[in-house]
Amino acid sequence: MTIKALLAATALAATTLSLPAVAAELTVGFSQIGSESGWRAAETTVSKSEAAKRKVNLKIADAQQKQENQIKAIRSFVAQGVDAIFLAPVVSSGWDAVLKEAKEAKIPVVLLDRDIDPSGKELYLTAVTSDSVQEGAVAGEWLAKTVGAKACNVVELQGTVGASVAANRKKGFDSVVAKHANLKVVRSQTGDFTRAKGKEVMESFIKAEGGGKSLCAVYAHNDDMMVGAIQAMKEAGLKPGKDVLTVSIDAVPDIFKAMAAGEANATVELTPNMAGPALDAIIAYKGKGTTPPKWIQTESKLYTAADDPMKVYDSKKGLGY
Amino acid sequence: MTFSLQRRGLAQIIALLVILAVDRIVSPQFFDLRLQDGRLFGSLIDVLNRGAPVALLSLGMVLVIATRGIDLSVGAVMAISGAIAASLADSHGVPLAIAVALGAGLLCGLWNGFLVAVLGIQPIVATLILMVAGRGIAQLITEGRIVTFTAPDFVWLGNGAVLGVPVPVVIVLGMLVITGAVVRGSALGLLIEATGGNARASELAGIGTRAMILAVYVWCGLCAALAGVIAAADIMGADANNAGLWLELDAILAVVIGGTSLFGGRFSLVLAMVGALIIQAMNTGILLSGYPPEFNLVVKAAVVLIVLLLQSPRLASAGAALWRARS
Amino acid sequence: MNASPDPGPALLEVRGLSKSFGALQALQEVDFTLRAGEIHALLGENGAGKSTLVKVVTGVFDRDTGIVRLDGTEVVARSARAALDAGIATVYQEVNLLPNLSVAQNLYLGRQPTRFGLVRDAEMRRRATALLAEFDLHIDVAAPLGSYSVAVQHITAIARAVDLSARVLILDEPTASLDRHEVEILFAVVRKLAARGIGVLFVTHFLDQVYEICDRITVLRNGRLMGERTTAELPRIELIRMMLGRELAETTSARAAERARPVRQVCARFEGYGKAGYLSPFDLVLHHGEVVGLAGLLGSGRTETARLVFGAERADSGRALVEGQPVRLQSPRDAVAHGFGYCPEERKIDGIIAELTVRENIVLALQAKRGLARPLSRSEQDEIAARFIKLLDIRPPEPERPIGLLSGGNQQKALLARWLATAPRLLVLDEPTRGIDVGAHAEIIRLIRALCDDGLALLVISSELDEIVTYSDRVIVLRDRAHVDQLQGDAIDVSNILAAIAAGSVVGAETVQP
């Protein structure tokens, strides 16, 4: 099913790209959460450039992690009579009233990056998000393919306990591991998505697993934790990328540096380009009246050392990660 | 009714030993040590090394709490100093970067001290301002990114070793000795305890309580800045969003576990360090145990509760009464 | 032991009570009987065991051995609450109520009349008004307790205690912070309660009050029972002998013979010194080897004078000179630097640092004066503490004991030691003998004279006019926050001081000059 959605999104992108630039006068308001992480900053940067590419006038409002600011921003966009509203919701509930106002003003709303509660299903046009379960699965598949039939002990650095992204990335990875008897997750602990905790937890994994000699691979729910884990392995005299395989998620620039140095093996991209597909959907909706699918899933692209990591690094480092 | 000095600290030492013993049970190789690239390597070293930032924070915090104050901003100050040091290290040289970072810590402490000692704002409110604003300042410096650096001298602060002992541990020991020398070598310790015990009476005894309160916040800011530098050096980058996050609470906890009352007065630098070690020995033990991470906070809360109960004078007297009744 | 000619029925009986704290035997085989309807004084020096006895009876402390019986039934109170439920109510010197709540709320806290779970405010106020009327107290019970005088707060506390169907009422130093008129009001209430058959145990230091109100006296010394007598059969000198175990030197009646001292050198001089809204500008000259007493009613400006002189309050007019040199006294720190010392009235709040040891409390001011960089070594501290503990006979003579565990008199001596250690030129003593037992009282008065003979300048505040007359070379009389009169030489006696307080003729600056 996810593959189908993926195909749909790609097909949509292919058709819309061939359209003439009817969108010259389109104005889109984007209520962004803030800049709490490098990925978020990159998303903002990419949104700007994607809008410029399509000659769309994009107005970005930074909500500084506050829902009330987002609601204010949406009301202001409605008052200004924009053609469409993009919303990266900071929380999943409490949107019904303000989205109704947008609907009554006949302004389509597209959710970026995160979904909202099902009660608001009818209030937005489409949601452009990644599939965290799919990301975990892509990471798992890469590992399964790379180790082949060899037995492999994996340690897992989880994201923050209780975060849905962490739960989904674990679920996706576990679903692949379940299919391969030679893969075994021997230890799993939270690293809170941070470098410092990733390093600390990896240090303890190495000690608990007899100096790390028996370890075959590390799976981290994000690249930051992996960067910390790579340091911990190096300090313990292990060779990450060679003795111990690494696979993580997000594709932030620093992991490509590690990859270029041969210390990391693979990362699954959480693309910062949510706005591109969203803009294409809006242009098609406004121009031809095409109703997009309710969920536009972004691609979970796998990067390895074969993808010229330094080149990817250079292309990503200016995005604000 | 007699509070002998020998009894002070006994509960903490016992708690630390018990936790280390439990660590040994969940992880049989806990006390194994070997040399790796000229650096001691083992779980025990992890406890010391990972505990270094909180130990540094509690070194400043214990003095603040002894004056009946509190500093909630230390985590944010860590983020600021780490951000500054990481931003300047590669471009302006490590000595300057660290000097500016520590200077920023002093300034933060001065600000807190000014609000508390001069304007008379309640410490919890005064330092809350910087706790919130400070992280924002750090994010402005890093622009929300993780600022990385490669300067080897700076990296050494986090990952190097002196005679096999990790540099952060050496720094903590150095700061403990310096703080101890300043506080107990001068009359500062006595005057801080007097001020915390009864500020009005101390003022009337001719103690310059205002200058002293200012001084402890400045020292606390400096310790926090140093912790921020170490934390940045550890991961070779400054993560303004996460560096020192919630560590102010660990530092306060370490001080309280170390037997210093939040109502001020008597304090012990060494026992605050033991408190920090108790917290880290517990954290490391949890990580080594292999229990699902959902249990982390529950286990931590339970252990802290037990350690604090061990110190409760009421519980001690009840226990003694029970003991007498049995024998 | 029982010398009472007409012993009423025993209400509260204590038999063979012992209590020790570690090595310290606080009570040893003490017997005590309180009869219904009597007012019974419990007397003794500080450390005699009065507080311990009260605290064991009220369940604050456990007892080691002994029996407490109320109406013949043994009482085993494990908490103050349990004692209260058994019918033993206690009112302490520091009223244990909530000043920000109304009088009515304080009276009915925890047992408010309710209907359907809601507090019936009007009903509560009505009951409170009626209850206080029984004590001839007619006040607005809806106003916050803190807005009333200490006496009203005490009567409120008593009313609350008695309304909880108390059989025994323990009053622990109830009059220490009351003025004469307020004491009268309180005594009227106490007599009324006794007439109702309540047994009142009265713990105090004021012997005059004992003779005024009490029927019977029990005296403790060093944790032992010295005897129980009826007040009428016990002459004052005999009572003091029971309490002290020695003849007390004539301390309160004999005036210092050597009052005609030669004119001494000026130590400090204050000209037109004052602070708007705090204390009217005054002129004050203090000589070496002279005791200047400050007399006046509570709130007349005595403590205010002391705080201005010591820099605890900043003057906004006039100037200060020390040894002829103009000085700025912006803070206590400045004053200490110029050789001043100050023992404040509120010992626990402004004086001692309870959790620190006697040694640390003694060296504190000297250390503050020397500055951070010149710490006193531990051996120097030990030496200073030992010297003053011996000199002032501070008990117990343990420098490492937290000062909060000492009795009031010994805390006061330690505070004196704190200043004497700084070798001051001027010492300001605010109520140095308040809340102190007879023995320590006499010692402190003797000490004041001795210090004066040593060349120290002393400024002493006291509510005890007898006391002021005993040691002062000069007495300044205050009224309504101003210095109004000055008495010197043979003019110093109680009646003249009272007349000055009453007349309050404002004296010009020239008459205050020596």
Side-chain angles (χ1 to χ4, degrees):
Chain A
M1 175 237 135
T2 48
I3 303 294
K4 216 183 275 174
L6 193 69
L7 289 175
T10 335
L12 190 75
T15 51
T16 48
L17 274 183
S18 59
L19 280 174
V22 291
E25 328 74 277
L26 276 189
T27 299
V28 175
F30 178 16
S31 172
Q32 174 64 294
I33 293 180
S35 52
E36 80 282 2
S37 68
W39 183 86
R40 187 68 59 191
E43 186 192 32
T44 306
T45 313
V46 172
S47 301
K48 284 179 194 158
S49 65
E50 292 291 318
K53 223 189 271 176
R54 292 166 179 80
K55 297 199 170 56
V56 170
N57 179 17
L58 187 70
K59 296 178 172 179
I60 299 180
D62 183 337
Q64 293 171 335
Q65 344 289 336
K66 289 204 181 80
Q67 184 175 31
E68 61 198 80
N69 289 346
Q70 293 204 294
I71 290 173
K72 262 185 229 156
I74 294 169
R75 292 224 163 97
S76 144
F77 290 145
V78 171
Q80 291 167 34
V82 295
D83 298 301
I85 293 170
F86 289 177
L87 168 64
V90 66
V91 292
S92 60
S93 57
W95 299 105
D96 292 7
V98 72
L99 290 189
K100 256 178 210 138
E101 289 169 32
K103 197 178 171 78
E104 277 157 20
K106 300 210 170 9
I107 300 172
V109 174
V110 179
L111 303 182
L112 297 193
D113 172 44
R114 299 182 184 188
D115 212 339
I116 60 172
D117 288 348
S119 65
K121 203 94 188 159
E122 297 311 311
L123 299 175
Y124 62 88
L125 181 67
T126 178
V128 182
T129 69
S130 68
D131 180 351
S132 310
V133 179
Q134 172 70 9
E135 287 160 0
V138 171
E141 295 291 359
W142 173 84
L143 186 63
K145 206 176 90 195
T146 307
V147 297
K150 200 176 68 168
C152 182
N153 284 344
V154 185
V155 290
E156 180 184 30
L157 293 164
Q158 299 183 25
T160 309
V161 173
S164 65
V165 180
N168 289 337
R169 287 177 177 177
K170 182 170 173 54
K171 190 169 145 197
F173 189 79
D174 286 350
S175 69
V176 178
V177 169
K179 285 186 281 184
H180 296 82
N182 60 323
L183 297 183
K184 195 179 157 208
V185 178
V186 290
R187 280 189 180 257
S188 181
Q189 180 51 265
T190 177
D192 283 338
F193 284 134
T194 69
R195 282 190 190 195
K197 284 289 282 178
K199 186 176 181 187
E200 179 177 355
V201 173
M202 192 65 209
E203 281 176 354
S204 74
F205 283 170
I206 292 167
K207 266 102 197 175
E209 295 299 322
K213 300 287 182 225
S214 61
L215 290 184
C216 149
V218 184
Y219 165 51
H221 288 187
N222 77 350
D223 290 338
D224 278 335
M225 290 192 288
M226 186 59 87
V227 170
I230 288 170
Q231 282 183 37
M233 286 186 272
K234 281 160 73 180
E235 283 170 25
L238 298 171
K239 290 197 177 60
K242 296 179 185 68
D243 301 348
V244 184
L245 297 172
T246 82
V247 56
S248 47
I249 300 173
D250 276 359
V252 303
D254 281 348
I255 200 75
F256 290 99
K257 246 206 257 181
M259 221 182 266
E263 293 169 352
N265 301 102
T267 183
V268 181
E269 185 180 43
L270 167 65
T271 179
N273 183 10
M274 301 278 171
L279 287 167
D280 292 337
I282 283 296
I283 290 166
Y285 180 72
K286 286 277 175 186
K288 299 206 300 188
T290 320
T291 305
K294 207 68 197 178
W295 181 25
I296 300 173
Q297 187 196 339
T298 57
E299 186 189 2
S300 301
K301 186 169 182 231
L302 179 78
Y303 287 91
T304 63
D307 294 298
D308 192 357
M310 269 333 273
K311 199 176 143 217
V312 184
Y313 173 76
D314 287 335
S315 71
K316 287 207 169 223
K317 73 175 179 194
L319 296 181
Y321 274 109
Chain B
M1 258 340 221
T2 48
F3 302 105
S4 66
L5 275 170
Q6 291 87 329
R7 260 205 63 186
R8 265 190 96 195
L10 202 64
Q12 288 84 354
I13 304 280
I14 290 174
L16 181 59
L17 293 178
V18 168
I19 289 172
L20 289 175
V22 172
D23 287 347
R24 171 67 178 69
I25 293 167
V26 299
S27 166
Q29 67 284 6
F30 187 80
F31 291 108
D32 294 358
L33 280 181
R34 65 181 162 90
L35 218 53
Q36 177 70 47
D37 301 334
R39 193 165 182 259
L40 283 167
F41 181 88
S43 295
L44 212 51
I45 295 298
D46 284 354
V47 171
L48 295 173
N49 198 24
R50 292 287 144 225
V54 170
L56 274 177
L57 293 184
S58 37
L59 209 47
M61 187 73 78
V62 69
L63 298 183
V64 169
I65 288 180
T67 65
R68 208 173 185 161
I70 201 151
D71 189 348
L72 295 180
S73 72
V74 289
V77 173
M78 273 181 77
I80 292 177
S81 77
I84 291 174
S87 307
L88 298 180
D90 286 347
S91 51
H92 292 77
V94 176
L96 182 79
I98 291 175
V100 176
L102 298 186
L106 286 176
L107 266 181
C108 290
L110 203 60
W111 164 257
N112 284 332
F114 173 77
L115 292 184
V116 174
V118 181
L119 299 188
I121 299 175
Q122 285 180 354
I124 197 164
V125 179
T127 57
L128 190 64
I129 297 169
L130 194 57
M131 177 188 178
V132 177
R135 196 159 292 281
I137 292 168
Q139 284 165 343
L140 280 179
I141 296 169
T142 63
E143 296 166 337
R145 296 174 296 129
I146 296 179
V147 177
T148 55
F149 55 86
T150 52
D153 291 352
F154 195 176
V155 174
W156 178 81
L157 285 179
N159 304 334
V162 176
L163 300 174
V165 181
V167 175
V169 180
V170 176
I171 290 176
V172 172
L173 285 176
M175 285 299 284
L176 175 61
V177 170
I178 292 172
T179 312
V182 169
V183 167
R184 298 296 180 191
S186 78
L188 195 62
L190 173 65
L191 300 191
I192 285 175
E193 287 182 337
T195 304
N198 187 342
R200 281 178 64 168
S202 299
E203 181 91 40
L204 286 176
I207 298 173
T209 53
R210 192 179 279 191
M212 202 155 49
I213 289 172
L214 201 65
V216 295
Y217 280 94
V218 168
W219 191 251
C220 192
L222 181 73
C223 288
L226 201 51
V229 168
I230 288 178
D234 178 45
I235 59 166
M236 297 190 242
D239 183 353
N241 300 320
N242 297 303
L245 194 63
W246 307 125
L247 286 196
E248 56 277 346
L249 299 182
D250 274 3
I252 293 166
L253 189 61
V255 171
V256 171
I257 289 177
T260 300
S261 161
L262 288 179
F263 292 113
R266 288 269 186 241
F267 69 92
S268 164
L269 296 175
V270 174
L271 290 183
M273 300 290 92
V274 173
L277 284 182
I278 286 176
I279 293 174
Q280 189 56 44
M282 177 171 72
N283 285 342
T284 301
I286 289 169
L287 293 181
L288 288 170
S289 68
Y291 291 132
E294 288 78 5
F295 290 102
N296 292 5
L297 297 177
V298 180
V299 172
K300 199 170 162 176
V303 174
V304 169
L305 181 67
I306 292 167
V307 173
L308 292 180
L309 283 180
L310 272 177
Q311 293 181 38
S312 155
R314 273 199 196 186
L315 201 74
S317 61
L322 205 69
W323 185 254
R324 272 201 306 274
R326 280 182 47 173
S327 55
Chain C
M1 275 295 177
N2 194 337
S4 165
D6 176 29
L11 179 63
L12 179 74
E13 285 180 278
V14 171
R15 291 289 171 265
L17 193 70
S18 293
K19 171 74 187 168
S20 59
F21 300 105
L24 181 76
Q25 187 77 33
L27 288 176
Q28 205 170 344
E29 296 287 319
V30 169
D31 294 344
F32 169 74
T33 307
L34 179 68
R35 293 157 190 85
E38 74 169 354
I39 303 173
H40 193 134
L42 182 61
L43 300 179
E45 285 196 81
N46 278 337
K50 295 170 304 196
S51 308
T52 310
L53 178 61
V54 167
K55 283 178 176 163
V56 169
V57 169
T58 55
V60 177
F61 292 157
D62 290 335
R63 59 194 178 227
D64 295 343
T65 60
I67 294 173
V68 178
R69 274 195 294 261
L70 185 64
D71 269 340
T73 317
E74 185 166 357
V75 186
V76 190
R78 288 239 172 260
S79 67
R81 178 84 223 174
L84 196 58
D85 290 342
I88 303 173
T90 316
V91 174
Y92 292 99
Q93 179 181 348
E94 284 87 19
V95 178
N96 227 348
L97 295 176
L98 305 164
N100 51 337
L101 294 187
S102 74
V103 174
Q105 282 166 329
N106 269 293
L107 281 171
Y108 291 103
L109 196 67
R111 54 190 185 103
Q112 300 94 332
T114 58
R115 180 187 288 156
F116 312 126
L118 297 173
V119 176
R120 298 167 64 198
D121 274 323
E123 169 70 11
M124 188 167 78
R125 282 199 297 274
R126 194 188 58 72
R127 285 200 214 169
T129 307
L131 178 63
L132 291 182
E134 288 180 40
F135 298 103
D136 291 324
L137 193 60
H138 304 280
I139 58 169
D140 175 12
V141 296
L145 182 67
S147 64
Y148 290 106
S149 69
V150 180
V152 169
Q153 297 187 25
H154 265 291
I155 292 170
T156 305
I158 291 171
R160 175 181 163 83
V162 173
D163 196 45
L164 290 163
S165 63
R167 311 284 318 282
V168 172
L169 177 64
I170 301 174
L171 299 173
D172 193 354
E173 295 281 2
T175 55
S177 43
L178 302 187
D179 66 24
R180 185 61 230 167
H181 176 64
E182 291 171 327
V183 170
E184 303 274 332
I185 297 173
L186 183 73
F187 281 0
V189 168
V190 171
R191 285 197 186 96
K192 200 171 246 181
L193 290 172
R196 276 203 218 161
I198 290 176
V200 179
L201 176 59
F202 187 44
V203 183
T204 187
H205 285 113
F206 298 99
L207 301 190
D208 286 345
Q209 293 176 359
V210 170
Y211 280 96
E212 184 180 342
I213 193 170
C214 293
D215 305 311
R216 204 180 293 269
I217 297 170
T218 292
V219 178
L220 297 179
R221 193 166 85 217
N222 294 330
R224 290 164 189 273
L225 176 67
M226 298 315 293
E228 188 204 82
R229 306 286 169 81
T230 53
T231 310
E233 290 173 354
L234 185 64
R236 194 177 285 233
I237 190 73
E238 178 66 21
L239 170 61
I240 293 175
R241 188 178 295 131
M242 279 172 80
M243 288 168 66
L244 295 183
R246 62 177 186 260
E247 291 292 340
L248 189 67
E250 284 284 289
T251 52
T252 48
S253 54
R255 285 173 46 175
E258 76 288 19
R259 182 149 282 155
R261 289 161 178 276
V263 175
R264 308 270 188 156
Q265 269 191 309
V266 173
C267 169
R269 181 192 291 273
F270 297 85
E271 296 171 351
Y273 219 62
K275 182 179 180 180
Y278 188 71
L279 189 64
S280 306
F282 62 88
D283 292 343
L284 178 64
V285 181
L286 302 161
H287 298 91
H288 286 288
E290 181 191 42
V291 180
V292 175
L294 290 180
L297 296 173
L298 202 67
S300 59
R302 300 172 309 183
T303 297
E304 288 79 358
T305 304
R307 288 180 62 87
L308 277 170
V309 164
F310 194 63
E313 207 69 49
R314 281 186 203 180
D316 60 8
S317 67
R319 61 180 195 145
L321 299 101
V322 174
E323 310 290 357
Q325 299 297 317
V327 295
R328 286 161 62 83
L329 300 171
Q330 301 275 29
S331 67
R333 218 170 159 214
D334 292 346
V336 172
H338 290 299
F340 292 11
Y342 174 46
C343 289
E345 179 181 8
E346 300 281 355
R347 240 185 345 257
K348 286 191 163 56
I349 301 170
D350 294 333
I352 63 163
I353 291 148
E355 65 176 313
L356 297 194
T357 62
V358 172
R359 165 181 57 85
E360 288 167 320
N361 270 282
I362 289 177
V363 302
L364 197 59
L366 176 59
Q367 184 59 69
K369 192 176 181 180
R370 286 166 62 108
L372 283 179
R374 294 174 56 219
L376 292 158
S377 72
R378 181 59 193 262
S379 58
E380 286 171 299
Q381 294 184 19
D382 287 340
E383 186 275 316
I384 293 166
R387 182 150 48 90
F388 282 101
I389 285 172
K390 190 154 177 254
L391 189 67
L392 303 182
D393 191 24
I394 296 171
R395 277 189 243 183
E398 296 168 15
E400 297 310 309
R401 178 174 277 258
I403 198 170
L405 301 180
L406 266 58
S407 67
N410 285 304
Q411 289 177 355
Q412 185 68 289
K413 288 183 189 171
L415 287 182
L416 273 168
R418 174 189 289 175
W419 291 112
L420 295 180
T422 67
R425 57 165 58 92
L426 166 66
L427 208 47
V428 183
L429 307 177
D430 195 348
E431 299 284 4
T433 57
R434 168 165 291 178
I436 284 176
D437 58 281
V438 182
H441 190 276
E443 283 177 58
I444 282 172
I445 288 174
R446 228 179 288 128
L447 191 69
I448 288 173
R449 288 310 315 177
L451 290 171
C452 175
D453 292 342
D454 249 19
L456 206 65
L458 284 133
L459 182 63
V460 185
I461 296 170
S462 180
S463 303
E464 308 285 322
L465 295 186
D466 283 342
E467 199 181 298
I468 285 213
V469 166
T470 312
Y471 49 62
S472 298
D473 297 303
R474 225 164 4 116
V475 174
I476 312 255
V477 178
L478 294 97
R479 199 169 65 116
D480 298 333
R481 294 180 179 264
H483 291 211
V484 293
D485 209 344
Q486 175 169 232
L487 303 168
Q488 245 167 324
D490 289 338
I492 299 176
D493 66 31
V494 173
S495 56
N496 281 349
I497 295 175
L498 283 174
I501 290 172
S505 57
V506 178
V507 238
E510 67 281 357
T511 55
V512 181
Q513 300 288 335

